[in-house]
Amino acid sequence: MTHHILKATKETVHLGGFSHLLEPALFVNSHDTIDVETYTGYYIYDKAPPEFLTPEFIDICENLPPERKIATGPHLLTGPIYIQNAEPGDVLEVQLEAISPSLPVGFNAIREGWGALPQQFTEAALRFIPLDLKNNFAEFPLGSNIKIPLTPFFGILGVATPENSRNSIPPGAYGGNIDNRQLQAGSRLFLPIYLPGALFSLGDGHSAQGDGEVNVTALETSMNGRIKLILRKDLQLKTPIAETPTDFITMGFAETLDDALELALKNMIDFLERFTNLSPEDAYVLCSLAVNFHITQVVNSPHKGVHGMLSKSIFSKIRL
């Protein structure tokens, strides 16, 4: 097991999406740990206050090589990370050991034509929001004495697929822009692998977000994290599964919330059949009795997200 440090530079980040054509930023072995740095705000850096900017971030925004601009998505991602011996059909276990904002400010943006209420909020708006990193909250609006606890997580955690260029906005079976606020430090994410090396990237740091992420963005923040990557050849998955200290989580991504709920439910039934040996009917009943389904996000067109949360407290033991 080796520990690595992956800084975000114009040579180690990519913009807008995922691609198997990208040169890996780092090669690791299974069970290696990585201290990783991510930046956010590529398209608004020229409007940002000084405390949002670092020399490295400015260099990325002004000098990112064309070959690392993959698609039209707005996200800067650090990676890809190549995991030795990973092959299609394997599973990548991502252990999120630590996540913390790297700068004392984040932003929220309303984008014209986007969000849950695009006909009501028609004007673009950009707000930079100070973070009290010592006391772990953001006051919004400033001077209101409304204190939002900081609960940092990475909005995007995903692997590359055979497409030459995949936009970073929609989530899918590969992970990507999941925007699930449950994936905080102490949680694990399991992703199906599609290509040799997996080619894992992450970014889109959020310091706070409500379920739904209704106005398109969360409290977007440059972020530092420590992750451990484990190659699982003993698992086969078709969609992501997550585990927090308290819950197992299945996910559904589709063009409507109804379809996303149906997929999250079916994935939970499959999970229960596989890991608890319940019959499909018993699993369906248990979902009605004990699984809580949440709207993950409604803004990552074309895929909305729903996730189901199953409390680990009702089982004697399940081990993924």
Side-chain angles (χ1 to χ4, degrees):
M1 186 178 70
T2 302
H3 182 68
H4 307 264
I5 296 175
L6 182 57
K7 302 292 288 184
T9 71
K10 62 178 181 289
E11 290 82 23
T12 63
V13 304
H14 51 101
L15 175 68
F18 293 77
S19 174
H20 66 92
L21 301 177
L22 279 168
E23 187 72 21
L26 182 68
F27 291 82
V28 304
N29 292 308
S30 179
H31 290 82
D32 283 359
T33 56
I34 309 160
D35 281 343
V36 61
E37 179 181 54
T38 67
Y39 282 115
T40 192
Y42 178 89
Y43 287 107
I44 52 89
Y45 91 100
D46 57 338
K47 303 177 180 65
E51 59 268 28
F52 191 81
L53 305 172
T54 68
E56 296 80 7
F57 180 48
I58 293 172
D59 188 37
I60 289 170
C61 294
E62 296 183 350
N63 300 301
L64 187 67
E67 63 269 20
R68 299 196 75 84
K69 298 178 182 179
I70 303 306
T72 58
H75 305 102
L76 270 178
L77 305 176
T78 302
I81 300 169
Y82 187 104
I83 297 89
Q84 303 284 6
N85 301 315
E87 296 293 339
D90 296 340
V91 168
L92 179 63
E93 177 182 336
V94 183
Q95 294 189 0
L96 300 163
E97 296 187 350
I99 308 171
S100 59
S102 59
L103 301 172
V105 63
F107 74 90
N108 179 272
I110 299 173
R111 296 178 62 188
E112 183 180 354
W114 288 67
L117 299 173
Q119 305 305 318
Q120 182 174 348
F121 297 94
T122 59
E123 300 294 325
L126 176 63
R127 291 171 170 82
F128 288 92
I129 302 172
L131 310 180
D132 186 334
L133 299 182
K134 179 180 179 180
N135 296 299
N136 202 46
F137 70 85
E139 185 180 54
F140 181 81
L142 197 62
S144 67
N145 204 33
I146 298 173
K147 296 181 178 180
I148 303 169
L150 302 185
T151 52
F153 67 98
F154 293 108
I156 295 183
L157 302 149
V159 297
T161 52
E163 296 94 334
N164 289 347
S165 176
R166 195 185 80 228
N167 194 290
S168 62
I169 293 176
Y174 39 78
N177 197 17
I178 297 172
D179 280 341
N180 190 321
R181 67 181 182 88
Q182 303 296 330
L183 299 182
Q184 298 170 28
S187 63
R188 301 191 291 168
L189 178 67
F190 300 82
L191 296 170
I193 293 173
Y194 296 87
L195 296 170
L199 299 174
F200 172 76
S201 298
L202 74 167
D204 189 30
H206 294 174
S207 279
Q209 178 198 295
D211 284 342
E213 198 187 16
V214 294
N215 88 330
V216 176
T217 54
L219 181 44
E220 310 284 329
T221 317
S222 295
M223 203 74 74
N224 291 330
R226 174 170 290 185
I227 61 174
K228 178 184 285 188
L229 299 179
I230 300 175
L231 180 59
R232 299 290 300 268
K233 291 184 176 288
D234 59 325
L235 285 177
Q236 289 80 43
L237 296 176
K238 293 182 179 179
T239 59
I241 290 174
E243 180 183 359
T244 73
T246 58
D247 292 86
F248 295 110
I249 300 175
T250 61
M251 307 174 198
F253 309 112
E255 293 188 8
T256 70
L257 284 175
D258 284 347
D259 289 343
L261 170 62
E262 183 175 318
L263 287 173
L265 172 58
K266 288 180 176 179
N267 290 336
M268 183 62 78
I269 291 171
D270 290 344
F271 174 87
L272 288 166
E273 286 184 74
R274 181 174 178 181
F275 293 101
T276 70
N277 295 316
L278 289 178
S279 70
E281 184 175 292
D282 283 347
Y284 184 38
V285 173
L286 184 61
C287 285
S288 195
L289 299 179
V291 177
N292 297 307
F293 289 92
H294 298 254
I295 297 173
T296 319
Q297 55 75 25
V298 296
V299 294
N300 294 331
S301 180
H303 287 164
K304 304 178 190 303
V306 170
H307 60 278
M309 299 185 63
L310 172 66
S311 175
K312 294 159 68 173
S313 66
I314 67 173
F315 300 96
S316 57
K317 183 177 181 181
I318 297 179
R319 177 67 183 173
L320 297 186

